[in-house]
Amino acid sequence: MRAGASTGTLQTNPPCAANDSFKVLPVRVTNCGLSAVTLAIALVASHPGSAQTTATSGTRPTRLVVRNAMVVDGNGTPARGPFDIVVEGNTITQLVALDPVAVGRGSARRPAVGNGGVEIDATGKYVLPGLINAHAHLQDERGGTQQEIDYELKMWLACGITTIRDVGSDTRKALNWRDLSARGVIAAPRIFIYPQFGRAPSPDSARGRVRALKAMGVDGIKLLGVDRDIMQAMEDEAHKLGLRVAHHVGVEETNAWDDIRFGTTSIEHWYGIPDAAIPDRVQSFPSYYNYNNETDRFRWAGHLWREADAGRLSAMLDSMVARQVAWVPTLDIYEASRDLQRARTQPWFADYLHPTLEEYFRPDPANHGSYFFGWSSTDETFWKENYRIWMAAVRDFERKGGVVGAGDDAGFIYQMYGFGLIRELELHQEAGFNTIKVIQHATGNNARILGKEAELGRVRAGVRADLIVVNGNPLENLKVLYPTGIDEIHDGKPVRTGGVEWTIKDGIPYHGPTLMREIKDLVVKARAERAR
C-alpha cells in the first residue's frame, strides 16, 4: 500500500460527510435529470465481467469503470448522460452512452471491468473533471510554526481538487512534492510550480534568474513587485524558455497595460487592472498612507474600483482579450474584508481548522494577510461596493472573450485549503456566471491557463483520468462540492447529503469521506499537542 493509502468501499451512497450524526440519503434520480426510461435502461443493461466490490483509496487499479454517470464536461456544455466512463491506468479510454438514443442505435453496450478491475456506481450522481486550483500555495508552516503538508494535500483532494498551480512556496520542497505526487507515492493533487520572482538588481540579473529557475525544472514563474525594465527582461526570457507567467501586480510601477504589452499569461487577484483605468493614473491615497502597513493597504484597496473610469476599463479588458491575458480573480480571499464575522465563523473550522493556521489567521502585523486591526462597518461597506464593480468587470471580461480562471489563495485571510476554491466558485455564481461556466472556470479554463488543455480539465477519451464523483448536482447547488456535505430536511428529520464521494486523480481513486476522517484525526492530534 502506498504512503497515505487507506481503504474505502465502492458503494452507491457511502457516508459523504464526517459528521456521522446525520442519516445519509441517496440522491434522488428525479433531481439528476434521469428519466424513468433511462433509469430502466441503466438497470436492465448487464454489467459484464466480475467487478471488484472494494478499492484501495490511494491505489490505481489497472481498469476502473464509473457506471451510470451524469457528466458535466469542462468545456462549458450542459450535463449529459448517463455514461459508463472507462479508465485504464491514468487515462480515460471510453465514454459509453446509455441514454435511449444510444440504446436505439445499439451502441449502449456496457464495457466490462475485467479481472483486477473495479467499478464505482455513480447512479444518481454527477461526474466532473477534477477541479484545478490556479492560485495555491504549498505550506508546511505558517508564521514559522509547523503544519503537516498532508493536511493541505488531503484537504485539496477531499474538495475534489486534482491539480494545483503553486504560485509561491519553498521551491525545492515543492519540486520534491511534485515528484512524489506524480509517482503516486503521496496522496496529493498534480502540482505545477511557479516560484515567486521579486525584485532583481538589473535586467541581466533577471534573465539569469529565469534561466536558473528553468534549470531547476519549474513549470512557470509568479511575478510580483518589480519595476518595468525588470518585468520586460524577465518576461522576454521566460517566453524564450517556454515558461508561463502569473502576475500579482500590486501597487507598483507596472500595471495591466504592461501585462498586455509583455505577454503575461494570467493576472492574479485584481491588482493592476483598475489601477490602469484611473484617469489620474494614481489612486487618491491619503497623505498618511503606507503601502507596507497592511491595514492601510487593504483598507484603501477597498476604495480602488470606484476610481476606475468605465471607458478606460472596457478598452483595457478588450486589450487583455486580444493579447490572451487570462484573469484569475481569487474573489474568495478578500471576502473577509466585506464580511469579517462570516469569515471568522465558518462552520468547518470547528473540526478541520489546524491550530497552526488558526493562530496565523489572528490579527498580527508579522503575518501577511492578518491585517484586521480596527476593521469597521465603513470598511466593509466600501469593500461591498468594491466587489460589485469588480464582479461586473470579471463578467464583462468573459463576455468580451476573455479566459477567467479560478483559484483561492488559501492559507491566508480565514480561507482553508480546498474550501476556499469552492467558495470561489460560489462567488463566480454571485458575479452572474451560469454554473456551467463556473465549472468551466475551474476545469477547462484553468487547464488552458496552464497550457494543458489537451490533457486536463475535460471528461473525454484520451485525457488524464482526473474525475470527481459528486453526491448531488453542482449545477443546481455548488455547495454539494463541500466535503462536509449539506443539511436538508426529509420526512421532518435532519439529514446530510452532498460531498465529493470519490476524487480520481491520474487514475487513482481517493475516497472523500475517508480523507476527511484522516484530516479530522490529524487536527485533533495537533490540537492536543498544542494544548500540552
Side-chain angles (χ1 to χ4, degrees):
M1 185 179 294
R2 292 182 174 87
S6 56
T7 59
T9 300
L10 289 168
Q11 51 187 330
T12 302
N13 292 287
C16 48
N19 188 338
D20 295 329
S21 65
F22 288 87
K23 175 183 176 184
V24 177
L25 291 185
V27 178
R28 293 188 298 275
V29 171
T30 54
N31 284 347
C32 301
L34 296 179
S35 67
V37 174
T38 303
L39 178 60
I41 291 167
L43 294 176
V44 170
S46 62
H47 287 214
S50 54
Q52 186 177 317
T53 57
T54 61
T56 301
S57 181
T59 298
R60 180 191 292 123
T62 56
R63 184 175 170 94
L64 167 65
V65 182
V66 181
R67 302 281 189 194
N68 292 330
M70 285 292 291
V71 172
V72 180
D73 203 345
N75 65 350
T77 56
R80 57 199 179 103
F83 286 92
D84 279 358
I85 305 168
V86 181
V87 174
E88 296 185 34
N90 67 350
T91 304
I92 299 172
T93 57
Q94 294 182 69
L95 269 75
V96 179
L98 304 173
D99 59 274
V101 173
V103 170
R105 291 173 177 168
S107 59
R109 295 179 180 150
R110 310 300 291 272
V113 174
N115 293 331
V118 300
E119 65 179 19
I120 292 174
D121 184 0
T123 302
K125 306 178 195 300
Y126 278 65
V127 172
L128 282 61
L131 304 180
I132 300 171
N133 186 348
H135 194 109
H137 294 276
L138 288 159
Q139 297 167 338
D140 63 353
E141 61 80 29
R142 305 305 295 127
T145 303
Q146 179 190 7
Q147 178 178 274
E148 301 89 333
I149 193 65
D150 275 356
Y151 170 72
E152 181 176 1
L153 300 177
K154 289 181 177 179
M155 194 83 81
W156 279 327
L157 288 174
C159 291
I161 297 168
T162 55
T163 297
I164 66 151
R165 182 176 64 159
D166 170 47
V167 288
S169 64
D170 184 311
T171 303
R172 295 193 184 279
K173 287 183 179 180
L175 288 166
N176 181 53
W177 291 325
R178 184 185 68 181
D179 176 63
L180 294 174
S181 174
R183 292 191 286 122
V185 175
I186 58 173
R190 180 179 289 101
I191 298 170
F192 291 86
I193 301 171
Y194 284 51
Q196 289 187 355
F197 187 107
R199 300 188 183 279
S202 69
D204 285 344
S205 67
R207 290 180 183 274
R209 189 182 301 173
V210 172
R211 291 192 292 269
L213 289 171
K214 175 68 175 181
M216 290 178 68
V218 305
D219 301 293
I221 294 176
K222 195 280 192 73
L223 181 65
L224 74 167
V226 298
D227 292 335
R228 188 168 288 112
D229 59 336
I230 303 299
M231 178 181 177
Q232 182 175 13
M234 173 265 164
E235 291 228 22
D236 180 65
E237 196 69 23
H239 296 323
K240 290 176 181 176
L241 297 175
L243 294 175
R244 293 179 171 238
V245 178
H247 191 190
H248 171 142
V249 186
V251 180
E252 56 199 53
E253 184 176 277
T254 60
N255 60 38
W257 287 114
D258 298 290
D259 291 298
I260 293 163
R261 186 178 302 114
F262 301 143
T264 298
T265 307
S266 65
I267 293 177
E268 308 301 297
H269 315 303
W270 49 267
Y271 305 108
I273 294 176
D275 314 54
I278 294 174
D280 292 335
R281 301 196 177 191
V282 64
Q283 187 180 347
S284 300
F285 295 116
S287 60
Y288 61 80
Y289 176 88
N290 177 3
Y291 181 74
N292 286 351
N293 178 324
E294 289 202 344
T295 303
D296 277 1
R297 185 192 311 177
F298 287 97
R299 173 169 286 136
W300 288 94
H303 296 239
L304 177 55
W305 275 101
R306 61 179 37 78
E307 294 193 33
D309 176 78
R312 289 171 181 259
L313 179 62
S314 180
M316 192 198 57
L317 296 177
D318 286 334
S319 295
M320 286 175 62
V321 173
R323 292 300 300 272
Q324 299 182 1
V325 178
W327 191 356
V328 181
T330 67
L331 294 156
D332 72 296
I333 200 59
Y334 304 103
E335 191 174 17
S337 296
R338 72 171 187 171
D339 192 346
L340 183 56
Q341 182 174 331
R342 179 198 179 279
R344 285 174 164 168
T345 58
Q346 295 173 71
W348 30 83
F349 284 2
D351 289 330
Y352 302 107
L353 179 58
H354 195 287
T356 297
L357 195 57
E358 181 179 18
E359 181 64 27
Y360 187 88
F361 285 160
R362 293 191 178 104
D364 186 340
N367 293 336
H368 173 52
S370 301
Y371 53 84
F372 292 99
F373 295 96
W375 206 254
S376 68
S377 61
T378 302
D379 293 319
E380 291 187 350
T381 298
F382 273 104
W383 266 98
K384 286 172 183 175
E385 176 70 0
N386 220 36
Y387 264 81
R388 185 188 69 77
I389 305 170
W390 178 16
M391 286 176 164
V394 176
R395 188 170 66 250
D396 191 33
F397 175 66
E398 184 171 274
R399 287 174 175 171
K400 290 172 177 289
V403 175
V404 175
D408 62 11
D409 201 15
F412 303 95
I413 319 180
Y414 300 102
Q415 285 295 356
M416 278 172 48
Y417 313 104
F419 286 84
L421 185 68
I422 299 167
R423 181 57 184 161
E424 174 74 3
L425 302 186
E426 292 185 274
L427 292 170
H428 283 221
Q429 184 179 17
E430 181 184 326
F433 294 104
N434 187 291
T435 49
I436 293 172
K437 298 299 293 182
V438 172
I439 296 300
Q440 184 182 8
H441 293 173
T443 55
N445 281 13
N446 277 352
R448 285 181 63 186
I449 291 169
L450 289 167
K452 299 295 180 182
E453 61 269 33
E455 304 173 31
L456 304 174
R458 297 288 306 278
V459 183
R460 70 175 187 182
V463 304
R464 293 291 188 95
D466 286 8
L467 303 165
I468 57 175
V469 180
V470 183
N471 283 305
N473 179 0
L475 299 180
E476 171 61 27
N477 184 3
L478 290 166
K479 293 183 186 299
V480 301
L481 294 170
Y482 284 111
T484 45
I486 58 173
D487 297 332
E488 294 183 349
I489 296 292
H490 287 266
D491 299 326
K493 297 179 180 179
V495 296
R496 170 121 350 138
T497 185
V500 175
E501 180 182 329
W502 289 94
T503 297
I504 303 165
K505 172 253 178 174
D506 212 30
I508 304 172
Y510 294 95
H511 188 234
T514 299
L515 289 169
M516 290 302 286
R517 285 194 292 270
E518 292 171 352
I519 294 163
K520 185 175 181 179
D521 289 345
L522 188 155
V523 170
V524 168
K525 181 180 178 182
R527 287 175 177 174
E529 291 176 350
R530 184 67 63 90
R532 289 176 188 168

